[in-house]
Amino acid sequence: MISGHPMELMDGDAGHVPLTWISSLLDEVIRKLGDRRVFVLSVLGVQSSGKSTMLNAMFGLQFAVSAGRCTKGAFMQLVKVSKEMKKDFQFDYILVVDTEGLRALELEGTFTLHHDNELATFVVGLGNMTLINIFGENPADMQDVLQIVVQAFMRMKKVKLSPSCVFVHQNVTDIAAAEKNMDGKRRLQEKLDQMAQLAAKEEVSDAECFSDVIAFDVQKDVKYFAQLWEGSPPMAPPNPGYSESVQDLKNFILSKASQSAGVTLSQFKGKIQNLWNALMNENFVFSFKNTLEIAVYRKLEVQYGNWTWALRNNMLTIENELYTRIENGGMYKVELSYLCNEMSKIYEEIKNKMTTYFEDNGDKEMLVQWQGQFERKISQFHDEQMKEVKRKLDEVLLQKAACKKLDDQKTVFENKLLQKGKELAQLLKDKTRDDKELEKQFNSVWGVWVSELTSDVKPIEHINLKDDQFNILEVLGFECKLIFDRMKEEHTYKNIADLKDYSDYVIKHKILGIFPTPSCALPYEEQNLMRSFIDNVEKQSMDKIKDRPVATRGYRSTYLQEMANSVKDQVTEFESMRKYALKKEFTVDLLLYVFHRAESWLSEAHNKFRMNNDALIYVESKKMQYYNIFKSFCRGSSSAVVLGEMICEKLKDSIVEAVCNKTAIDLAGEMRCSFPAFSGNRLNLEKHVLKSLAEKENFDDFITYIRHPRKQVESFIKEEVKKYIFTEHRDKALNILKKNVDDISKEVSQALFASTEEVKTQSGDTNMWVDKFSTLLTKKLTFDTICSQNFSDINNFDFLKEEVEKGLVSIVKEMSNISLDKMKEFRLKPDQILIDQLCRCCWVKCPFCAAVCINTLEDHSPEKHNVPFHRPSGIEGWHTRNTVDLVIDFCTTLVASDRRFYPLHDSQESVPYKQYQSGGERYASWEITPDESKLTYWKWFVCRFQKQLEDHYNLKFQGRGEIPSEWRMFTKQEAIKSLDEMYNP
C-alpha cells in the first residue's frame, strides 16, 4: 500500500521535485510487487464533501478524515483485488487517487483557483474513472472545476485520454424522491452539455454534448447518497442508508472496472510523466479559459452597461431640468439630498433588477462571486453621477451669480429700448411704410441709444493668447529668437505627441556608447517613454487649466503662467531620470503644444464670460429684435400683437435649445439600445473598432489605436454617431427631433391656456399673465425676462393667447426644417453622452503588445487585466536586444515558452516569460493565458502594414522575427471575420 504521500503541484520550480519522488516510489513498488496492472480511480470533491469518509468505508482505506482542506495535493493508495474476485478483473489492484477539497473557502484567491484547476486536471487525467463528489444535490459548486476538466480533455492531444466519470451527490435529504432526482439529473445534464458546447467553441471542437468528451450516461452515472448520520453528530447513530449507498456505488465502480484492462504500474508512471509534461509545457493551469464563466461574466457586463445607462439617462434628464430652472432664476442651490430623492425611483428599480438578475438567473451559483462587486460598482456609479451633476450645476449657479449685475441691468435696458422704439414709432407713424426708410431711421438712432445705455459700462476685451505665450516663454528664460523660430514651426510643436522619432530633441554626445544603434538614435523604449511623458503633461495641464474659473470670472494670463511653470518642472524631473539630456527646443515645443491644446478651451470659456457679462454685447445682440418691435409699432400693431411677437421671439431660441438637448439624450439612448457597436460590453465595442480600422486600412489610425486606444475609440464613436444621425438613420433622427418639437409646443400651448384662464378668472393684468406663463415653463425652457410694463394697456388676453399661438405655429413649421447640425451648438451632444457612457472602462495596455484590457469596469480589482486575444509583440516595437529584429511571436506563445525578456530596455537581469508576473507591477497586474491563441486579424495586420511598421520603429521583421509565409495567405475579409472569435455574444 502507498499511503500518505502528497503530490504537491503548485510550488513553483519545486513542483518538479514531487514528480521525481513519485517516480522513484513507483519504481520501488514495481520492484516489490512486479509491474502489476492497476485500475486508477480518481476522486474530486469541493471543500469538505465527505469523500475521504466514503472512500475509507468503500475500500477500507486510511485516508485522513477532517473538515475542509487540511491536506494539500493528492494521495494515492493501492487496494488489492482478492483471489475470489480476480477472475472477474484484468488487473491486480485498484489505485485510488484522492485529492484535497477543492475551492476551499479559507484559501480563496487567484493563486488557489490556479492550484485547484491544475490539481483537478492532473488527477482526472490520471484516472481510468473519475468519481466527482458533491456535497448536496446541486452541482453548481463543481461546475467551474468540471469546465476546466472538459476543456483539458479537448486539448491534451498527446495524452490521448478516454476516461469516464461518476457523480455522487452526498447528504441528499430524501434519496427516495425519484422524481426529484430525475429533475436533478436533467439539470445536471443541461449544465454539462452547456459547458461542453462552450468549451468546444473555445477549442474549435465538434463536441455537442458532455458525453462526446467523456464517457457519460446521466441515468446510470449519477448517484445519490443519504446523510451519514441520523441527526446531529457526535451522539447521532450512523444512517443505514449511507452504508447501502456506499455498497451500491462500490458495486457500480467494480462493474465498470471489470470492463477495463487498466494500466500497468510502469504505464501509470509514464502516464504521470506525460500528463505532467503536458501541463508544464503548455502551462494549462493558467491557460484554461473557463468559457462558461467568461460567457456569464460577459453577459453580466452587458447588463451592467444597461443598468448604468438607465441611471445616466435619468440623471441627464434631471440635470437638464435643473439647468433650465437655474437659468430662469428659479433655483439658487443644488443639494445632494435633492438629487438623491430625484434619482431614488430609478435607483430602486435598478437595484431590484440586479437582485432579480443575480437570484433568478440560471447561472446564479456562478454569478454570486461577482454580486457584491457589481452592487458596489452600481452604488459608486450612482453616487458619482450625483456628485458630477452637482458639480456641473454648481458651476452654472456660480456663472449665474457672476452675471447678476448684467441680469439686473437687462430689465432696465429692455424697458428703455422698448420705450425708445415705441416713441420713435409714434413720431414716424403714418409718415412712411417703406422698410428701407424705417431701417435707416432706426439705425440712425440705435447707436445713440446703445451709447446712452452703456455709457458707464466698461467693455470686456478680447484676449491675445499668442502675445501672452511669447511673454511667458521669455520670462521662463528662453531666448527671443528661439521662441520665434519654434512658434513658426507649427507643424512640429502641434504634432509633438505623435512624432515618430524624438532623437532630434536629444543632446547626442551624452548618449554615445549607451545605445547600440549606429546613428545614436533613441531606442524605441525611450521614444515610448517620451511619448507617454508628453501625453501625461498634456493631460495634467488641461486638467489644471480647466479648473480655472475662466467662464465665470474671465481669463487671466497667470493661468498660463502657472501651467508653464508646472510643465518646465516636469521636464526637469523627467530629464533627471534619463541617461541623456534634452535640448531647450523640446521644452519650448512642449510648452507651445500645451498652450495650443488649451487655446480653444480658453477662448471659448472667455467668450462665454464676455457674452454673459458684457452689457454692450448684450444690448447689440438685441438690435434685430427691437427693430422688429419698432416696425410693428410703426404699422399700427396693438400692444397685444407686439408683446406676442416678443414672446415668440424669445420662445423660438429657447425651444430650439430645449429640443436639441432633449434630442441629443434621445438619440444617444436610441444608439445605446439599437446600434450594435454601442449596445454590448467593452469587448463588443473593441471588436467594432478593430473592424472599422481594418475596413479603412489607414496605418496612422492603427498607430493612434496602439498608442492612444481611448483617443481612437472616442474618434470611432464620434464618427459612427455622425453617420447614424446624418446618413444611415437620418429619417429616424428627424422623427425624434420632430416628436420633441411637438412635445414642447404642447407644453407651451398648455401654459398659454392656463395663464389666460387664470388671468380672466382673477381679473389680472399683463404682469400676472406673463408671470404665470413664465412660471409654467420654467422647468422646460430657458428664456430672458419678458418685460411687460410697457404693455399695461392689454386687456384682451384671449387675443394675446391667439397671437402667441400663431407665432408658435410658425416656430413649429420652421423647426420642421431645422438641421440636425444645430445640436452641435448646445450643451448636450449625443456623441459626448455616449463617450461618457462607453469609455468609462479599463484602458490599461498589455506591457508586451499594447492590447487593451477589455474589462467593462474601470476598477475591476481584484481581477487582473486581461484580453481574450493578444498580438505579436513587434506591433508594440518589442525587438531582440542588440538587434533590429522585431518580435513576431504572440504574448500567449511567449509566456508558454522557455524564452526570457528584459522588463525594461536597460534592465541588466532578464526574466523567464513563464514568470512574467515577476517582472514588475505592470507585468504582475496582467493575466496572460499561455494558450498560443493567434487571432488571424493581427497576422493580416502585420503582413498588410509590414513596411509601415518597420519604418515606424526603424526595425525589421527578420531573423527570428521573420513573418511566417502562411500568414500572407490571409485576406482582409478573413481577418475581419476572425474578430467573431474574439467576441461571441
mmCIF file of all heavy atoms in Angstrom, residues 410-446:
data_model
loop_
_atom_site.group_PDB
_atom_site.id
_atom_site.type_symbol
_atom_site.label_atom_id
_atom_site.label_comp_id
_atom_site.label_asym_id
_atom_site.label_seq_id
_atom_site.Cartn_x
_atom_site.Cartn_y
_atom_site.Cartn_z
ATOM 1 N N LYS A 410 -30.514 93.988 -17.373
ATOM 2 C CA LYS A 410 -31.239 93.582 -18.582
ATOM 3 C C LYS A 410 -32.653 94.163 -18.630
ATOM 4 O O LYS A 410 -33.094 94.678 -19.664
ATOM 5 C CB LYS A 410 -31.298 92.056 -18.675
ATOM 6 C CG LYS A 410 -30.003 91.419 -19.129
ATOM 7 C CD LYS A 410 -30.139 89.889 -19.190
ATOM 8 C CE LYS A 410 -28.833 89.249 -19.639
ATOM 9 N NZ LYS A 410 -28.910 87.767 -19.680
ATOM 10 N N THR A 411 -33.365 94.048 -17.508
ATOM 11 C CA THR A 411 -34.737 94.562 -17.473
ATOM 12 C C THR A 411 -34.761 96.065 -17.750
ATOM 13 O O THR A 411 -35.612 96.563 -18.507
ATOM 14 C CB THR A 411 -35.380 94.266 -16.110
ATOM 15 O OG1 THR A 411 -35.314 92.866 -15.856
ATOM 16 C CG2 THR A 411 -36.842 94.706 -16.094
ATOM 17 N N VAL A 412 -33.806 96.771 -17.163
ATOM 18 C CA VAL A 412 -33.714 98.223 -17.388
ATOM 19 C C VAL A 412 -33.439 98.512 -18.854
ATOM 20 O O VAL A 412 -34.096 99.360 -19.481
ATOM 21 C CB VAL A 412 -32.609 98.841 -16.502
ATOM 22 C CG1 VAL A 412 -32.441 100.329 -16.806
ATOM 23 C CG2 VAL A 412 -32.924 98.614 -15.033
ATOM 24 N N PHE A 413 -32.445 97.833 -19.409
ATOM 25 C CA PHE A 413 -32.084 98.023 -20.821
ATOM 26 C C PHE A 413 -33.286 97.763 -21.725
ATOM 27 O O PHE A 413 -33.609 98.564 -22.619
ATOM 28 C CB PHE A 413 -30.949 97.077 -21.220
ATOM 29 C CG PHE A 413 -29.610 97.447 -20.636
ATOM 30 C CD1 PHE A 413 -28.593 96.501 -20.559
ATOM 31 C CD2 PHE A 413 -29.357 98.722 -20.183
ATOM 32 C CE1 PHE A 413 -27.357 96.825 -20.030
ATOM 33 C CE2 PHE A 413 -28.113 99.070 -19.651
ATOM 34 C CZ PHE A 413 -27.115 98.103 -19.569
ATOM 35 N N GLU A 414 -33.961 96.638 -21.486
ATOM 36 C CA GLU A 414 -35.045 96.244 -22.378
ATOM 37 C C GLU A 414 -36.226 97.193 -22.264
ATOM 38 O O GLU A 414 -36.862 97.547 -23.274
ATOM 39 C CB GLU A 414 -35.475 94.800 -22.090
ATOM 40 C CG GLU A 414 -34.363 93.790 -22.375
ATOM 41 C CD GLU A 414 -34.904 92.449 -22.871
ATOM 42 O OE1 GLU A 414 -36.111 92.339 -23.116
ATOM 43 O OE2 GLU A 414 -34.090 91.528 -23.023
ATOM 44 N N ASN A 415 -36.523 97.626 -21.079
ATOM 45 C CA ASN A 415 -37.621 98.581 -20.914
ATOM 46 C C ASN A 415 -37.321 99.899 -21.621
ATOM 47 O O ASN A 415 -38.184 100.497 -22.279
ATOM 48 C CB ASN A 415 -37.899 98.836 -19.429
ATOM 49 C CG ASN A 415 -38.748 97.736 -18.814
ATOM 50 O OD1 ASN A 415 -39.588 97.164 -19.497
ATOM 51 N ND2 ASN A 415 -38.532 97.447 -17.546
ATOM 52 N N LYS A 416 -36.081 100.364 -21.471
ATOM 53 C CA LYS A 416 -35.689 101.622 -22.116
ATOM 54 C C LYS A 416 -35.685 101.485 -23.630
ATOM 55 O O LYS A 416 -36.133 102.390 -24.348
ATOM 56 C CB LYS A 416 -34.316 102.061 -21.615
ATOM 57 C CG LYS A 416 -34.343 102.590 -20.178
ATOM 58 C CD LYS A 416 -32.978 103.111 -19.746
ATOM 59 C CE LYS A 416 -33.033 103.703 -18.329
ATOM 60 N NZ LYS A 416 -31.711 104.204 -17.879
ATOM 61 N N LEU A 417 -35.152 100.364 -24.135
ATOM 62 C CA LEU A 417 -35.135 100.142 -25.588
ATOM 63 C C LEU A 417 -36.558 100.071 -26.131
ATOM 64 O O LEU A 417 -36.866 100.632 -27.203
ATOM 65 C CB LEU A 417 -34.380 98.860 -25.910
ATOM 66 C CG LEU A 417 -32.857 98.904 -25.774
ATOM 67 C CD1 LEU A 417 -32.261 97.511 -25.924
ATOM 68 C CD2 LEU A 417 -32.248 99.842 -26.832
ATOM 69 N N LEU A 418 -37.413 99.383 -25.385
ATOM 70 C CA LEU A 418 -38.803 99.250 -25.820
ATOM 71 C C LEU A 418 -39.499 100.616 -25.837
ATOM 72 O O LEU A 418 -40.213 100.957 -26.797
ATOM 73 C CB LEU A 418 -39.537 98.295 -24.876
ATOM 74 C CG LEU A 418 -40.950 97.879 -25.280
ATOM 75 C CD1 LEU A 418 -40.956 97.148 -26.612
ATOM 76 C CD2 LEU A 418 -41.559 96.982 -24.200
ATOM 77 N N GLN A 419 -39.253 101.394 -24.804
ATOM 78 C CA GLN A 419 -39.873 102.726 -24.716
ATOM 79 C C GLN A 419 -39.373 103.632 -25.840
ATOM 80 O O GLN A 419 -40.164 104.349 -26.479
ATOM 81 C CB GLN A 419 -39.578 103.351 -23.349
ATOM 82 C CG GLN A 419 -40.238 104.694 -23.110
ATOM 83 C CD GLN A 419 -41.761 104.599 -23.161
ATOM 84 O OE1 GLN A 419 -42.348 103.628 -22.706
ATOM 85 N NE2 GLN A 419 -42.395 105.614 -23.767
ATOM 86 N N LYS A 420 -38.057 103.592 -26.096
ATOM 87 C CA LYS A 420 -37.487 104.422 -27.154
ATOM 88 C C LYS A 420 -38.010 104.003 -28.519
ATOM 89 O O LYS A 420 -38.306 104.853 -29.378
ATOM 90 C CB LYS A 420 -35.959 104.345 -27.130
ATOM 91 C CG LYS A 420 -35.333 105.068 -25.932
ATOM 92 C CD LYS A 420 -33.827 104.924 -25.933
ATOM 93 C CE LYS A 420 -33.194 105.638 -24.736
ATOM 94 N NZ LYS A 420 -33.398 107.115 -24.769
ATOM 95 N N GLY A 421 -38.118 102.686 -28.740
ATOM 96 C CA GLY A 421 -38.658 102.217 -30.020
ATOM 97 C C GLY A 421 -40.103 102.636 -30.204
ATOM 98 O O GLY A 421 -40.527 103.008 -31.311
ATOM 99 N N LYS A 422 -40.870 102.587 -29.119
ATOM 100 C CA LYS A 422 -42.278 102.959 -29.173
ATOM 101 C C LYS A 422 -42.424 104.459 -29.467
ATOM 102 O O LYS A 422 -43.276 104.881 -30.287
ATOM 103 C CB LYS A 422 -42.925 102.612 -27.830
ATOM 104 C CG LYS A 422 -44.430 102.571 -27.839
ATOM 105 C CD LYS A 422 -44.937 102.032 -26.496
ATOM 106 C CE LYS A 422 -46.447 101.892 -26.506
ATOM 107 N NZ LYS A 422 -46.963 101.360 -25.212
ATOM 108 N N GLU A 423 -41.592 105.271 -28.820
ATOM 109 C CA GLU A 423 -41.636 106.723 -29.031
ATOM 110 C C GLU A 423 -41.240 107.084 -30.455
ATOM 111 O O GLU A 423 -41.867 107.957 -31.091
ATOM 112 C CB GLU A 423 -40.722 107.425 -28.032
ATOM 113 C CG GLU A 423 -41.217 107.351 -26.596
ATOM 114 C CD GLU A 423 -40.191 107.868 -25.598
ATOM 115 O OE1 GLU A 423 -39.058 108.206 -26.043
ATOM 116 O OE2 GLU A 423 -40.486 107.928 -24.386
ATOM 117 N N LEU A 424 -40.170 106.435 -30.983
ATOM 118 C CA LEU A 424 -39.748 106.716 -32.353
ATOM 119 C C LEU A 424 -40.838 106.303 -33.334
ATOM 120 O O LEU A 424 -41.098 107.018 -34.324
ATOM 121 C CB LEU A 424 -38.449 105.966 -32.663
ATOM 122 C CG LEU A 424 -37.882 106.175 -34.070
ATOM 123 C CD1 LEU A 424 -37.513 107.650 -34.289
ATOM 124 C CD2 LEU A 424 -36.657 105.298 -34.304
ATOM 125 N N ALA A 425 -41.483 105.181 -33.069
ATOM 126 C CA ALA A 425 -42.557 104.721 -33.949
ATOM 127 C C ALA A 425 -43.715 105.719 -33.970
ATOM 128 O O ALA A 425 -44.336 105.965 -35.018
ATOM 129 C CB ALA A 425 -43.049 103.346 -33.489
ATOM 130 N N GLN A 426 -44.030 106.327 -32.826
ATOM 131 C CA GLN A 426 -45.095 107.315 -32.756
ATOM 132 C C GLN A 426 -44.761 108.532 -33.620
ATOM 133 O O GLN A 426 -45.627 109.095 -34.291
ATOM 134 C CB GLN A 426 -45.309 107.760 -31.299
ATOM 135 C CG GLN A 426 -45.956 106.706 -30.413
ATOM 136 C CD GLN A 426 -47.383 106.386 -30.825
ATOM 137 O OE1 GLN A 426 -48.107 107.265 -31.323
ATOM 138 N NE2 GLN A 426 -47.773 105.140 -30.675
ATOM 139 N N LEU A 427 -43.476 108.927 -33.616
ATOM 140 C CA LEU A 427 -43.044 110.063 -34.419
ATOM 141 C C LEU A 427 -43.151 109.787 -35.914
ATOM 142 O O LEU A 427 -43.472 110.676 -36.708
ATOM 143 C CB LEU A 427 -41.596 110.445 -34.079
ATOM 144 C CG LEU A 427 -41.353 111.055 -32.690
ATOM 145 C CD1 LEU A 427 -39.851 111.229 -32.444
ATOM 146 C CD2 LEU A 427 -42.054 112.430 -32.588
ATOM 147 N N LEU A 428 -42.853 108.560 -36.297
ATOM 148 C CA LEU A 428 -42.808 108.198 -37.713
ATOM 149 C C LEU A 428 -44.108 107.591 -38.214
ATOM 150 O O LEU A 428 -44.230 107.264 -39.390
ATOM 151 C CB LEU A 428 -41.656 107.218 -37.980
ATOM 152 C CG LEU A 428 -40.254 107.743 -37.672
ATOM 153 C CD1 LEU A 428 -39.224 106.642 -37.871
ATOM 154 C CD2 LEU A 428 -39.921 108.935 -38.590
ATOM 155 N N LYS A 429 -45.059 107.386 -37.301
ATOM 156 C CA LYS A 429 -46.305 106.729 -37.669
ATOM 157 C C LYS A 429 -47.008 107.493 -38.787
ATOM 158 O O LYS A 429 -47.124 108.718 -38.748
ATOM 159 C CB LYS A 429 -47.214 106.646 -36.446
ATOM 160 C CG LYS A 429 -48.411 105.728 -36.642
ATOM 161 C CD LYS A 429 -49.202 105.615 -35.344
ATOM 162 C CE LYS A 429 -50.375 104.667 -35.531
ATOM 163 N NZ LYS A 429 -51.164 104.535 -34.282
ATOM 164 N N ASP A 430 -47.438 106.769 -39.784
ATOM 165 C CA ASP A 430 -48.144 107.297 -40.955
ATOM 166 C C ASP A 430 -47.257 108.115 -41.885
ATOM 167 O O ASP A 430 -47.724 108.635 -42.904
ATOM 168 C CB ASP A 430 -49.350 108.156 -40.546
ATOM 169 C CG ASP A 430 -50.359 107.363 -39.737
ATOM 170 O OD1 ASP A 430 -50.501 106.141 -40.028
ATOM 171 O OD2 ASP A 430 -50.984 107.952 -38.834
ATOM 172 N N LYS A 431 -45.955 108.301 -41.537
ATOM 173 C CA LYS A 431 -45.058 109.077 -42.406
ATOM 174 C C LYS A 431 -44.417 108.211 -43.475
ATOM 175 O O LYS A 431 -44.100 108.694 -44.557
ATOM 176 C CB LYS A 431 -43.971 109.756 -41.564
ATOM 177 C CG LYS A 431 -44.506 110.870 -40.666
ATOM 178 C CD LYS A 431 -43.383 111.581 -39.937
ATOM 179 C CE LYS A 431 -43.951 112.714 -39.064
ATOM 180 N NZ LYS A 431 -42.878 113.426 -38.327
ATOM 181 N N THR A 432 -44.176 106.961 -43.159
ATOM 182 C CA THR A 432 -43.550 106.071 -44.155
ATOM 183 C C THR A 432 -43.907 104.631 -43.861
ATOM 184 O O THR A 432 -44.098 104.247 -42.707
ATOM 185 C CB THR A 432 -42.028 106.240 -44.161
ATOM 186 O OG1 THR A 432 -41.481 105.341 -45.135
ATOM 187 C CG2 THR A 432 -41.427 105.894 -42.793
ATOM 188 N N ARG A 433 -44.043 103.842 -44.925
ATOM 189 C CA ARG A 433 -44.262 102.408 -44.793
ATOM 190 C C ARG A 433 -43.130 101.631 -45.449
ATOM 191 O O ARG A 433 -43.148 100.409 -45.477
ATOM 192 C CB ARG A 433 -45.575 102.005 -45.477
ATOM 193 C CG ARG A 433 -46.807 102.596 -44.804
ATOM 194 C CD ARG A 433 -47.241 101.743 -43.653
ATOM 195 N NE ARG A 433 -48.420 102.282 -42.967
ATOM 196 C CZ ARG A 433 -49.067 101.663 -42.017
ATOM 197 N NH1 ARG A 433 -48.639 100.481 -41.619
ATOM 198 N NH2 ARG A 433 -50.117 102.207 -41.432
ATOM 199 N N ASP A 434 -42.142 102.368 -45.933
ATOM 200 C CA ASP A 434 -41.039 101.730 -46.648
ATOM 201 C C ASP A 434 -40.046 101.121 -45.645
ATOM 202 O O ASP A 434 -39.550 101.829 -44.751
ATOM 203 C CB ASP A 434 -40.330 102.784 -47.524
ATOM 204 C CG ASP A 434 -39.202 102.171 -48.312
ATOM 205 O OD1 ASP A 434 -39.476 101.313 -49.165
ATOM 206 O OD2 ASP A 434 -38.036 102.532 -48.026
ATOM 207 N N ASP A 435 -39.772 99.796 -45.816
ATOM 208 C CA ASP A 435 -38.882 99.103 -44.878
ATOM 209 C C ASP A 435 -37.477 99.689 -44.868
ATOM 210 O O ASP A 435 -36.842 99.805 -43.815
ATOM 211 C CB ASP A 435 -38.805 97.606 -45.230
ATOM 212 C CG ASP A 435 -40.042 96.855 -44.758
ATOM 213 O OD1 ASP A 435 -40.869 97.475 -44.068
ATOM 214 O OD2 ASP A 435 -40.175 95.658 -45.073
ATOM 215 N N LYS A 436 -36.989 100.056 -46.033
ATOM 216 C CA LYS A 436 -35.630 100.608 -46.095
ATOM 217 C C LYS A 436 -35.535 101.925 -45.341
ATOM 218 O O LYS A 436 -34.551 102.203 -44.648
ATOM 219 C CB LYS A 436 -35.212 100.811 -47.554
ATOM 220 C CG LYS A 436 -34.903 99.507 -48.279
ATOM 221 C CD LYS A 436 -34.329 99.770 -49.665
ATOM 222 C CE LYS A 436 -33.960 98.454 -50.354
ATOM 223 N NZ LYS A 436 -33.415 98.679 -51.716
ATOM 224 N N GLU A 437 -36.588 102.752 -45.485
ATOM 225 C CA GLU A 437 -36.592 104.033 -44.791
ATOM 226 C C GLU A 437 -36.696 103.820 -43.274
ATOM 227 O O GLU A 437 -36.032 104.492 -42.487
ATOM 228 C CB GLU A 437 -37.758 104.900 -45.283
ATOM 229 C CG GLU A 437 -37.856 106.272 -44.638
ATOM 230 C CD GLU A 437 -36.628 107.131 -44.888
ATOM 231 O OE1 GLU A 437 -35.961 106.955 -45.944
ATOM 232 O OE2 GLU A 437 -36.307 107.972 -44.027
ATOM 233 N N LEU A 438 -37.542 102.848 -42.888
ATOM 234 C CA LEU A 438 -37.681 102.537 -41.465
ATOM 235 C C LEU A 438 -36.359 102.049 -40.878
ATOM 236 O O LEU A 438 -35.965 102.448 -39.784
ATOM 237 C CB LEU A 438 -38.772 101.472 -41.253
ATOM 238 C CG LEU A 438 -40.220 101.939 -41.438
ATOM 239 C CD1 LEU A 438 -41.166 100.746 -41.285
ATOM 240 C CD2 LEU A 438 -40.575 103.025 -40.430
ATOM 241 N N GLU A 439 -35.690 101.200 -41.634
ATOM 242 C CA GLU A 439 -34.398 100.653 -41.157
ATOM 243 C C GLU A 439 -33.375 101.772 -41.029
ATOM 244 O O GLU A 439 -32.588 101.813 -40.068
ATOM 245 C CB GLU A 439 -33.900 99.570 -42.118
ATOM 246 C CG GLU A 439 -32.624 98.880 -41.645
ATOM 247 C CD GLU A 439 -32.210 97.740 -42.568
ATOM 248 O OE1 GLU A 439 -32.889 97.513 -43.586
ATOM 249 O OE2 GLU A 439 -31.201 97.099 -42.263
ATOM 250 N N LYS A 440 -33.402 102.711 -42.011
ATOM 251 C CA LYS A 440 -32.457 103.827 -41.982
ATOM 252 C C LYS A 440 -32.711 104.702 -40.752
ATOM 253 O O LYS A 440 -31.764 105.099 -40.046
ATOM 254 C CB LYS A 440 -32.627 104.659 -43.257
ATOM 255 C CG LYS A 440 -31.689 105.856 -43.332
ATOM 256 C CD LYS A 440 -31.924 106.637 -44.627
ATOM 257 C CE LYS A 440 -31.044 107.885 -44.667
ATOM 258 N NZ LYS A 440 -31.315 108.685 -45.902
ATOM 259 N N GLN A 441 -33.980 104.988 -40.477
ATOM 260 C CA GLN A 441 -34.338 105.792 -39.319
ATOM 261 C C GLN A 441 -33.933 105.105 -38.014
ATOM 262 O O GLN A 441 -33.409 105.735 -37.089
ATOM 263 C CB GLN A 441 -35.855 106.061 -39.313
ATOM 264 C CG GLN A 441 -36.348 106.964 -40.415
ATOM 265 C CD GLN A 441 -35.888 108.397 -40.217
ATOM 266 O OE1 GLN A 441 -35.556 108.841 -39.103
ATOM 267 N NE2 GLN A 441 -35.834 109.166 -41.315
ATOM 268 N N PHE A 442 -34.176 103.797 -37.967
ATOM 269 C CA PHE A 442 -33.852 103.034 -36.756
ATOM 270 C C PHE A 442 -32.340 103.005 -36.526
ATOM 271 O O PHE A 442 -31.864 103.228 -35.404
ATOM 272 C CB PHE A 442 -34.387 101.602 -36.875
ATOM 273 C CG PHE A 442 -34.161 100.756 -35.653
ATOM 274 C CD1 PHE A 442 -35.001 100.844 -34.558
ATOM 275 C CD2 PHE A 442 -33.089 99.869 -35.589
ATOM 276 C CE1 PHE A 442 -34.777 100.077 -33.425
ATOM 277 C CE2 PHE A 442 -32.856 99.097 -34.460
ATOM 278 C CZ PHE A 442 -33.704 99.202 -33.368
ATOM 279 N N ASN A 443 -31.574 102.757 -37.598
ATOM 280 C CA ASN A 443 -30.116 102.701 -37.480
ATOM 281 C C ASN A 443 -29.530 104.039 -37.050
ATOM 282 O O ASN A 443 -28.498 104.089 -36.360
ATOM 283 C CB ASN A 443 -29.488 102.267 -38.814
ATOM 284 C CG ASN A 443 -29.708 100.789 -39.090
ATOM 285 O OD1 ASN A 443 -29.942 100.007 -38.159
ATOM 286 N ND2 ASN A 443 -29.644 100.402 -40.357
ATOM 287 N N SER A 444 -30.178 105.112 -37.477
ATOM 288 C CA SER A 444 -29.627 106.431 -37.151
ATOM 289 C C SER A 444 -29.695 106.738 -35.662
ATOM 290 O O SER A 444 -28.909 107.546 -35.152
ATOM 291 C CB SER A 444 -30.401 107.515 -37.935
ATOM 292 O OG SER A 444 -31.743 107.588 -37.472
ATOM 293 N N VAL A 445 -30.614 106.089 -34.962
ATOM 294 C CA VAL A 445 -30.740 106.373 -33.526
ATOM 295 C C VAL A 445 -30.231 105.209 -32.648
ATOM 296 O O VAL A 445 -30.014 105.390 -31.451
ATOM 297 C CB VAL A 445 -32.217 106.663 -33.138
ATOM 298 C CG1 VAL A 445 -32.694 107.945 -33.826
ATOM 299 C CG2 VAL A 445 -33.124 105.488 -33.479
ATOM 300 N N TRP A 446 -30.059 104.031 -33.262
ATOM 301 C CA TRP A 446 -29.663 102.840 -32.473
ATOM 302 C C TRP A 446 -28.327 103.068 -31.760
ATOM 303 O O TRP A 446 -28.176 102.792 -30.566
ATOM 304 C CB TRP A 446 -29.581 101.599 -33.359
ATOM 305 C CG TRP A 446 -29.076 100.372 -32.610
ATOM 306 C CD1 TRP A 446 -27.824 99.835 -32.696
ATOM 307 C CD2 TRP A 446 -29.786 99.601 -31.656
ATOM 308 N NE1 TRP A 446 -27.716 98.746 -31.865
ATOM 309 C CE2 TRP A 446 -28.910 98.578 -31.201
ATOM 310 C CE3 TRP A 446 -31.075 99.659 -31.127
ATOM 311 C CZ2 TRP A 446 -29.285 97.645 -30.252
ATOM 312 C CZ3 TRP A 446 -31.455 98.715 -30.192
ATOM 313 C CH2 TRP A 446 -30.558 97.713 -29.749
#
